[in-house]
Amino acid sequence: RTGLIAGTRCPPAEVEQRRFEVYPSSYLAWARAAGRPVAPQQASPRCPEGAPIPGKDQPQGPRITYPTDGAVLLLDPQLSARQEILVRAEVPGATEAYLHINHEKIPLQGPPFRHRWMLQSGFFTLRVEAGGTSSEPVHLRVEGN
């Protein structure tokens, strides 16, 4: 409703799925001036990241908050060598965790738990692990070359 980023705990009625082009920061001003669909950089104050949905319990274990399960990401052929996303995770009560991307194990420090991941074509399974507990897997596909 606000045109800003919906937190992962926003009620579905408050969320509209949209596709955005992702540019390196050096191209953002150009993209905006050219009217390109650039993703908002700010969370909505109506339902920020991690805000509970009324009537629902807050999850107790680790979880990946971005990307979402089933996501399909598209590589721009002109930017594919530099295209990346910011993988985000919540790990309550932890100061370190591990991000698993397929069979690669990446140490994370936090909070906040973030990892800049350079995109490449293929199918991927992501999960986050901390204190012997693992998140639900997030499956995604990256298309393009």
Side-chain angles (χ1 to χ4, degrees):
R1 286 186 172 179
T2 64
L4 300 174
I5 298 170
T8 57
R9 305 284 290 168
C10 283
E14 299 283 318
V15 177
E16 178 183 338
Q17 295 286 329
R18 292 187 183 171
R19 287 186 185 223
F20 294 99
E21 296 171 348
V22 179
Y23 295 94
S25 58
S26 58
Y27 290 98
L28 283 175
W30 168 85
R32 286 188 180 103
R36 305 302 303 169
V38 177
Q41 301 297 308
Q42 204 173 347
S44 171
R46 294 177 56 95
C47 51
E49 186 71 35
I53 297 173
K56 295 223 175 183
D57 295 329
Q58 187 81 358
Q60 298 300 314
R63 69 188 187 102
I64 293 176
T65 59
Y66 183 82
T68 57
D69 192 40
V72 177
L73 305 175
L74 304 173
L75 286 172
D76 182 316
Q78 295 179 348
L79 300 175
S80 62
R82 299 179 307 274
Q83 225 169 323
E84 61 183 32
I85 63 168
L86 187 61
V87 177
R88 298 187 304 251
E90 287 182 357
V91 187
T95 56
E96 63 179 42
Y98 294 94
L99 173 65
H100 296 265
I101 301 177
N102 288 351
H103 300 291
E104 182 181 4
K105 185 176 183 179
I106 302 159
L108 300 174
Q109 298 288 319
F113 294 96
R114 309 284 189 260
H115 175 70
R116 290 197 176 280
W117 179 45
M118 192 67 61
L119 294 178
Q120 58 188 356
S121 293
F123 294 89
F124 299 91
T125 300
L126 285 63
R127 63 182 177 85
V128 65
E129 169 191 13
T133 307
S134 185
S135 69
E136 290 293 321
V138 168
H139 306 282
L140 64 103
R141 183 174 77 232
V142 180
E143 295 180 348
N145 45 1

